Amino acid sequence: EGRVGRANDQADVEDVGDLALNGRGPEEDRGAARALYIARLVSNHPCIVVVSKDARDAESMASDLTFFCKGASVLNLPDWGVLPFEPLSPQAEIVAERMRALLALRAQTRAVLSIAAPALLGRVIQPSYLQTALLRLSPGDTIQREPFLVRLEQLGYRLVAAVSECGDLAVRGSVIDIFSPLHPAPVSLEFFDAVREEMREFSVETQRSAGSLSTVDIAPMREWQPVGDDVTNYERGHERLKVRGQQLEVPPREIARLRHAIRTDMALPGRELLEPFVRSPGASILDHLCAGALIVWIDELATRQALDSAWEQVCDRQRRAAADHTLVPEASDLYVPPDVLWSGAQAVHQLSI
């Protein structure tokens, strides 16, 4: 366990070329060579997290890894796509991409995740909640439709007239259409009374069936947990909101508005910012890694500098929001400080190239 260190297996170095590990050659060639080197490690680790200094490099690495890592799922984990402490929620397609990535890390099915250093700082939902929130459906299951629909809305699915993108949910008589991030196309669930009779994928464009399914997996489409009937968490969140609001001199009417949003599980923009008040701070991405995982740092010095720079931006924006009397949590409640991240990474196999 712990740091593996700089790659130094001479046979592997010769296979992929010195440019991958010794920094010679054009940047695009080094990127491809690094991806090829990582692909050689896939068979030895159930999941590999590849950390680049920024989103552009992470996307490029994901493209190269997709080409070389045959037989493995290659995913990208983006950040929320909004500035730190901005009262906005991530778009549905970003949430879907993040959910796919987090679930793949624990599936132990040969997953390779490409992520930018700033995105690594962001806290995510707890692994325990993600596993309990995941729904697996099969034909013949007996289920009560109305509670099922309520549960889907609690998981973040939007009720629409017709399904067109991830996170959409539509009801057509005895049929429920849903687009889960864990399926490439929306799924039609056909019911007879309380029995789920058939499940079919269908095309958004033509609405034609693409075939029957034996199982359907439904993942959450939001990164905060509904309060529901959890009175303890609501009361604790209420008290924390009140105390924090007084510290930041937030108008009482605004505190009451946010308290109501928590109590009713209202999906108001930026609801993710309130989660630390209701529950303990979210998990680190490292908490989602399965046993035997490997972290690969691409240009470790540049990655460290990117983490420090991103953390400075987080703290600066948190201070500005607090100075504007906006009810925001502490920076470390929504983001993992770099020193804490590096400390946690010591328990995982690591490689620097």
Side-chain angles (χ1 to χ4, degrees):
E1 295 295 321
R3 172 166 295 280
V4 173
R6 184 179 176 86
N8 57 13
D9 187 304
Q10 188 60 38
D12 281 342
V13 172
E14 291 175 354
D15 276 346
V16 301
D18 283 346
L19 66 153
L21 304 174
N22 298 327
R24 293 196 290 273
E27 182 60 36
E28 58 270 21
D29 290 345
R30 278 186 283 151
R34 285 165 170 158
L36 176 57
Y37 184 84
I38 294 168
R40 297 290 183 89
L41 305 175
V42 167
S43 61
N44 298 325
H45 301 276
C47 68
I48 299 176
V49 177
V50 184
V51 187
S52 303
K53 69 178 184 297
D54 55 36
R56 179 180 177 182
D57 283 1
E59 291 174 3
S60 177
M61 178 57 67
S63 178
D64 289 337
L65 289 168
T66 299
F67 180 81
F68 290 115
C69 296
K70 306 303 181 184
S73 298
V74 177
L75 304 104
N76 183 44
L77 199 156
D79 61 22
W80 281 351
V82 297
L83 290 172
F85 297 98
E86 193 75 14
L88 296 171
S89 293
Q91 296 180 355
E93 58 266 29
I94 290 179
V95 175
E97 194 171 3
R98 287 169 62 86
M99 289 298 168
R100 282 192 292 267
L102 290 176
L103 285 164
L105 290 179
R106 302 185 65 83
Q108 300 192 24
T109 55
R110 304 300 173 198
V112 182
L113 178 66
S114 181
I115 184 171
L120 194 63
L121 292 181
R123 291 193 181 275
V124 295
I125 59 177
Q126 295 287 349
S128 57
Y129 171 71
L130 187 57
Q131 290 301 315
T132 56
L134 183 66
L135 303 179
R136 171 157 289 186
L137 312 179
S138 301
D141 288 345
T142 300
I143 193 168
Q144 298 300 318
R145 277 167 46 92
E146 291 309 313
F148 177 59
L149 290 172
V150 170
R151 179 59 174 157
L152 293 178
E153 291 192 61
Q154 288 179 335
L155 292 177
Y157 287 85
R158 305 174 302 276
L159 194 59
V160 296
V163 170
S164 62
E165 62 180 20
C166 268
D168 282 353
L169 167 68
V171 180
R172 301 179 291 112
S174 63
V175 177
I176 297 176
D177 296 336
I178 185 169
F179 202 156
S180 167
L182 302 184
H183 289 269
V187 175
S188 180
L189 309 175
E190 299 180 15
F191 286 81
F192 180 75
D193 289 335
V195 179
R196 193 164 34 251
E197 285 197 319
E198 194 169 14
M199 307 186 302
R200 293 178 175 272
E201 279 188 342
F202 66 91
S203 167
V204 170
E205 290 78 16
T206 66
Q207 296 294 301
R208 292 182 178 178
S209 172
S212 299
L213 298 172
S214 59
T215 59
V216 171
D217 292 323
I218 300 177
M221 277 297 298
R222 60 172 52 139
E223 294 196 48
W224 51 272
Q225 300 180 42
V227 173
D229 297 326
D230 190 345
V231 178
T232 300
N233 270 327
Y234 167 67
E235 291 179 346
R236 181 172 56 190
H238 177 199
E239 185 60 26
R240 288 176 175 173
L241 275 175
K242 180 181 177 180
V243 172
R244 183 64 170 163
Q246 291 173 343
Q247 290 175 345
L248 301 180
E249 300 180 355
V250 177
R253 180 175 295 182
E254 175 66 3
I255 297 176
R257 183 183 76 89
L258 298 177
R259 183 186 66 183
H260 176 72
I262 290 176
R263 183 67 187 92
T264 58
D265 287 326
M266 184 187 300
L268 80 168
R271 170 60 177 80
E272 294 79 6
L273 300 179
L274 303 180
E275 191 66 359
F277 297 115
V278 185
R279 306 175 193 281
S280 57
S284 161
I285 291 173
L286 301 183
D287 296 325
H288 285 262
L289 298 183
C290 61
L294 172 69
I295 301 175
V296 179
W297 305 98
I298 304 298
D299 191 349
E300 184 174 337
L301 178 59
T303 301
R304 282 180 175 269
Q305 292 172 342
L307 285 170
D308 291 339
S309 177
W311 177 248
E312 289 177 5
Q313 183 193 39
V314 164
C315 293
D316 179 63
R317 291 193 59 83
Q318 193 275 344
R319 286 191 293 268
R320 291 186 183 185
D324 288 339
H325 310 295
T326 301
L327 210 163
V328 292
E330 297 289 351
S332 59
D333 287 339
L334 277 180
Y335 297 86
V336 184
D339 59 335
V340 175
L341 187 66
W342 284 110
S343 177
Q346 300 311 307
V348 184
H349 290 296
Q350 298 180 75
L351 185 66
S352 177
I353 61 175

